[in-house]
Amino acid sequence: MVTLSHALSDGRGPAPQAQAPRDFARTTLRRRHRPLVRALAEAMFSHALGPTRERLDAFVDEFDNFVSFASRTLRFGLLVMLGVVRFAPLFVLLRFATFETLRLDERIRIIERMAASRFIGLALVLAAYKGIFSLLFFEHDDELAALGYKDERHRHKHALRLVASTTAGEVAE
Amino acid sequence: MIDAVVRGREVGVPLSAQADVIVVGSGAGGAVVARELANAGWSVLVVEEGGYWIPEHYSAMTPSHMFRRMAREAALAAAVGIGETPLIAVLAGKCVGGSSVLTGGVCFRVPEEVLGTWVHDLGLTQMSPEALDPHFAAVERAIEVEAVPTHMRSRSTELFVEGAAKLGIRMKPLRRNTRGCKGAARCNFGCPHFAKMSVDVSYLPDACAHGARILSDALVERVVFTGGRATGVRGRFLDETGEPRVPFQIAAKIVVVACGALHTPLLLRRSGLRGPRLGRGLTLHPSVRVYGIFDERVDGWDGAFQSVYSDDFEHDGITLISAYGTANLLAGGFPGVGREHRRLVHRIPHTAVFGAMIHDEGGGSVRRWLSREPLVSYRLAARDGERMRRAMRILAEMAFAAGARQVILPIFGAPPVASTKELDVLLARRPSLRRVECVAFHPLGSAKMSTHPSRGVVKPSGETWGADNLFVADGSVLPTSIGVNSQLPVMAVARQIAHGIAENASHHVL
């Protein structure tokens, strides 16, 4: 048993604080989940030029890392929802096949129908995954560059310069 | 950087400690109590479940990295809708500084009409505008509350103002706790320029300068009682997998619980407190946003994250407020999948975001269930449902008035509308509110202050009805929904509670 003052003087306090703490070492996806997440991401974000295979593989890792910060219950809930996606062909197209085994155009058709489904549960499953996937997918540098997003603040910097010069002028007067 | 932080996950062996006051939670409420009592000469120990990140780390993190490291449930927490109620995403912080690190920094005092209800209808006489004024004023000075100047507005906000003006809706500048804001529109992800005066850069360093200490990565599991008095807490430090492992115990004369409205009821219940109102009556301020797509390039991320609001619909329970998320956050709300979704996402640089918040009745509850995170459920009152529909209509009409070519409503599966006529057709179908994309940033009122134990959980002093020397000082004590952003009200009420503790020191330490 240590005391607080001991912990503080023991280097557990001030010294290491400038370093960011390490992320929790845990994962959520099992091997069987990964092709499904990948297939869903491909269907959601497919376009003429991609996404590439490497990008999709990296995306699955990123998704796993992201959701692993949530509680055990929430992670379990997400996996249950993933199960709904897996068997969505049965609910939506009345086909005995799992989502990840379908062709891309069929997968797209399924998620389009899920989005517009009268069964709100299905729409919400898709909305939840779309929200998380979009947060991660469109955070990629290439996507932000395509949107013209820059860390530089042009418009606002210009406004600040104007304000600064006006203020300086007033002071000079 | 705060020197006096012990990172629990690095301690590795059981720890025992002693202090005059333990504050559980380091957010807007807990930080204020810690600073005020440390300033009054008490030895204070703040215990925080989340990790400790210094502001220098914020600029190195993307929004999703901020979410996963500093928000509860990686920002995936939600209130389950009951009946005709949407699933409501609830953003709350889990880090040293709590939700104040993740807010937009907007500061409102509690509207006088609401305070009038608290004083006259609920008998909470210490909540009068006059009694709270010195606390509001002191907090405003400490966190440097200032009006957002016009030149800080993003183009998205300007369009929000233009649309409002064409419909005769008046806009006012917001006040925020900032010093040297550079308009990065990233307030919700920790300010990369240290310009937002969240409690991790204002109150907590000051508390530590007066001798307070902070334990991070430390989950308090129970308040310990001796003879009906709180005498300390027990808990466990989180290990490298995020699970609680190594035990700690801290003895204290006073325990102040400030875990926020989602977790305070859980801790009180786990500690053996009971009561008909504990965890009930949660209010959320459900919020909706509408996207307007314009011909011109908007680049809404260039400027202050939030800068104007309108209280023209205050009596209808609706506050209109400007806000802008990051591109990846907005993308999830755009309709379509595949190419159609991508086409719309690529219109984000041409998109302005208009927001509204509902002053709700409070149909939420917080319960303990399978994990250490609560089960939050919420039933939207019929009145609030109509307010939500009305808010969406007002925002969409403002967007068209500002010149939007298309408007995207926050309704899952609804296509963009291109005219007010199409808007009318869509809303005339009365789409289910369960399909509405809804977020909440202000969970409040789950351990309400009251003048009688049958109506609340804590006394007007903040001390619980169920145990002596156990106080609650966070958003859970607010007796009703307030209809405005809650950071400043929580801090002012926490300050009042802290001063009450200090003034009655002889009573509490006996």
Side-chain angles (χ1 to χ4, degrees):
Chain A
M1 186 84 74
V2 297
T3 62
L4 186 62
S5 54
H6 182 248
L8 269 168
S9 62
D10 197 28
R12 295 174 178 115
Q17 288 171 11
Q19 295 172 357
R22 276 180 311 201
D23 288 339
F24 295 131
R26 63 187 184 201
T27 57
T28 301
L29 299 182
R30 301 271 176 90
R31 188 180 288 181
R32 67 178 184 276
H33 299 126
R34 298 179 70 85
L36 181 56
V37 171
R38 193 179 186 285
L40 182 59
E42 187 182 20
M44 264 187 202
F45 302 122
S46 66
H47 58 94
L49 302 173
T52 62
R53 174 179 295 210
E54 296 74 28
R55 177 83 198 281
L56 285 170
D57 290 339
F59 178 84
V60 176
D61 291 336
E62 184 72 351
F63 173 78
D64 193 13
N65 180 273
F66 183 84
V67 298
S68 295
F69 281 80
S71 68
R72 199 176 295 171
T73 318
L74 199 145
R75 282 179 282 150
F76 175 73
L78 286 170
L79 292 181
V80 169
M81 289 197 281
L82 206 52
V84 173
V85 175
R86 168 166 278 148
F87 296 109
L90 183 62
F91 311 134
V92 178
L93 299 181
L94 298 177
R95 276 189 57 181
F96 286 97
T98 54
F99 184 84
E100 69 271 29
T101 60
L102 299 180
R103 291 196 319 267
L104 177 61
D105 60 324
E106 291 173 318
R107 278 180 271 145
I108 291 173
R109 190 144 51 99
I110 284 173
I111 59 177
E112 281 172 347
R113 289 203 185 175
M114 284 176 78
S117 173
R118 284 184 186 179
F119 296 104
I120 289 174
L122 273 182
L124 285 180
V125 165
L126 188 75
Y129 269 94
K130 192 172 162 187
I132 303 170
F133 277 22
S134 296
L135 178 72
L136 301 174
F137 188 85
F138 290 104
E139 193 169 73
H140 193 275
D141 287 344
D142 293 348
E143 298 295 338
L144 292 176
L147 291 177
Y149 177 86
K150 293 188 180 77
D151 269 341
E152 283 291 303
R153 296 281 169 264
H154 298 294
R155 183 170 190 273
H156 176 62
K157 271 188 177 171
H158 178 65
L160 274 187
R161 273 200 300 274
L162 283 178
V163 171
S165 60
T166 310
T167 312
E170 284 169 2
V171 171
E173 283 168 17
Chain B
M1 193 169 79
I2 308 168
D3 285 339
V5 181
V6 174
R7 282 185 172 136
R9 66 171 104 168
E10 290 165 8
V11 172
V13 290
L15 178 141
S16 77
Q18 200 166 348
D20 290 335
V21 181
I22 298 167
V23 180
V24 187
S26 65
V32 171
V33 172
R35 190 258 208 173
E36 296 303 318
L37 294 181
N39 213 3
W42 299 55
S43 70
V44 177
L45 182 55
V46 181
V47 189
E48 165 60 51
E49 182 190 352
Y52 175 49
W53 303 84
I54 61 174
E56 283 78 1
H57 296 144
Y58 301 162
S59 56
M61 285 194 250
T62 64
S64 82
H65 281 94
M66 290 293 297
F67 275 168
R68 61 189 99 177
R69 291 165 178 158
M70 303 181 74
R72 282 210 170 271
E73 298 282 47
L76 299 176
V80 178
I82 299 173
E84 185 63 359
T85 306
L87 182 78
I88 304 176
V90 184
L91 183 66
K94 190 173 85 170
C95 56
V96 171
S99 300
S100 82
V101 178
L102 302 180
T103 68
V106 173
C107 291
F108 282 100
R109 291 190 178 199
V110 181
E112 291 203 2
E113 190 181 331
V114 175
L115 291 179
T117 305
W118 293 359
V119 171
H120 302 299
D121 298 354
L122 304 178
L124 300 168
T125 51
Q126 86 289 4
M127 291 294 195
S128 67
E130 298 75 28
L132 281 175
D133 180 67
H135 299 292
F136 274 119
V139 174
E140 285 165 350
R141 277 195 303 276
I143 60 172
E144 307 194 25
V145 176
E146 59 181 9
V148 184
T150 309
H151 68 265
M152 293 290 296
R153 293 177 185 175
S154 65
R155 182 66 188 138
S156 174
T157 298
E158 287 177 353
L159 290 165
F160 185 61
V161 173
E162 287 171 25
K166 286 184 179 162
L167 298 179
I169 301 168
R170 291 161 298 177
M171 287 285 165
K172 299 174 180 175
L174 282 169
R175 297 192 311 151
R176 297 184 309 158
N177 55 329
T178 54
R179 179 172 60 191
C181 173
K182 293 180 179 164
R186 271 198 45 156
C187 308
N188 268 112
F189 308 103
C191 179
H193 304 119
F194 331 132
K196 188 175 71 178
M197 300 301 286
S198 44
V199 296
D200 58 323
V201 296
S202 55
Y203 269 88
L204 288 174
D206 203 26
C208 292
H210 288 90
R213 296 286 178 266
I214 301 170
L215 265 180
S216 68
D217 308 294
L219 175 71
V220 171
E221 294 176 312
R222 283 187 73 87
V223 178
V224 178
F225 300 99
T226 308
R229 275 172 190 268
T231 53
V233 298
R234 279 205 311 258
R236 284 183 289 167
F237 294 122
L238 306 186
D239 69 5
E240 71 278 4
T241 67
E243 296 302 321
R245 292 273 185 258
V246 180
F248 65 84
Q249 58 184 42
I250 306 164
K253 294 164 185 162
I254 289 173
V255 176
V256 180
V257 177
C259 315
L262 301 184
H263 279 263
T264 286
L266 261 61
L267 177 58
L268 296 181
R269 203 173 277 278
R270 265 201 311 266
S271 305
L273 261 70
R274 295 289 180 266
R277 305 303 305 164
L278 184 58
R280 301 286 176 84
L282 177 80
T283 66
L284 290 175
H285 291 162
S287 304
V288 289
R289 60 188 174 195
V290 162
Y291 306 119
I293 301 178
F294 292 81
D295 286 339
E296 66 171 293
R297 196 166 170 102
V298 177
D299 287 349
W301 51 73
D302 196 349
F305 176 73
Q306 290 177 293
S307 40
V308 299
Y309 76 105
S310 173
D311 55 9
D312 274 13
F313 301 94
E314 186 182 2
H315 293 291
D316 300 319
I318 299 168
T319 303
L320 306 180
I321 196 157
S322 69
Y324 201 90
T326 54
N328 52 328
L329 201 58
L330 299 182
F334 277 49
V337 293
R339 288 178 189 182
E340 174 58 11
H341 182 241
R342 190 173 184 80
R343 187 187 68 76
L344 285 170
V345 167
H346 279 244
R347 300 293 290 164
I348 284 178
H350 295 259
T351 301
V353 183
F354 297 1
M357 188 165 75
I358 307 300
H359 184 163
D360 56 334
E361 243 174 41
S365 71
V366 179
R367 292 187 189 88
R368 192 178 160 197
W369 74 321
L370 303 174
S371 72
R372 58 181 204 258
E373 293 296 329
L375 172 63
V376 184
S377 59
Y378 188 86
R379 184 187 289 278
L380 195 67
R383 181 199 70 175
D384 295 337
E386 290 311 312
R387 287 174 172 179
M388 191 173 279
R389 291 180 193 281
R390 179 145 190 248
M392 285 191 285
R393 175 180 286 281
I394 294 167
L395 294 173
E397 286 174 350
M398 282 170 59
F400 281 124
R405 288 286 178 192
Q406 283 187 311
V407 169
I408 297 172
L409 292 172
I411 301 170
F412 298 129
V417 290
S419 65
T420 50
K421 196 173 171 185
E422 286 184 18
L423 174 70
D424 290 341
V425 170
L426 177 62
L427 293 179
R429 285 190 219 129
R430 289 185 67 79
S432 169
L433 291 173
R434 288 185 288 164
R435 301 190 83 94
V436 171
E437 182 199 0
C438 186
V439 292
F441 304 97
H442 313 136
L444 301 168
S446 56
K448 294 183 194 304
M449 191 177 274
S450 67
T451 54
H452 191 273
S454 65
R455 290 194 295 272
V457 176
V458 302
K459 303 169 188 171
S461 63
E463 191 173 31
T464 58
W465 286 106
D468 292 340
N469 290 8
L470 174 61
F471 288 79
V472 178
D474 59 23
S476 28
V477 303
L478 298 191
T480 67
S481 169
I482 54 177
V484 294
N485 301 51
S486 57
Q487 177 181 239
L488 184 61
V490 167
M491 295 175 85
V493 170
R495 189 177 186 276
Q496 187 182 55
I497 290 170
H499 279 236
I501 294 171
E503 284 159 16
N504 293 299
S506 57
H507 166 74
H508 297 306
V509 297
L510 282 176

